[in-house]
Amino acid sequence: MELLQYILVAVVVLVALGWLFRKSLFPSKKTSGCGDGNCGCH
């Protein structure tokens, strides 16, 4: 049972680190057309 807990913790940590690296290395491209004041997003 203890081994299963360690495996689950390792999987959660790897998923969290992968998500953080994905967000920092590949930012979303949604901000390319906004910022000129005419986009109507506010």
Side-chain angles (χ1 to χ4, degrees):
M1 191 55 120
E2 190 175 335
L3 179 64
L4 181 63
Q5 290 177 349
Y6 282 127
I7 291 172
L8 288 174
V9 168
V11 168
V12 168
V13 168
L14 288 175
V15 168
L17 286 176
W19 182 79
L20 286 175
F21 281 125
R22 182 182 61 90
K23 287 299 231 182
S24 63
L25 294 177
F26 305 107
S28 62
K29 309 282 188 206
K30 293 190 292 187
T31 60
S32 63
C34 194
D36 58 356
N38 295 326
C39 64
C41 58
H42 294 290

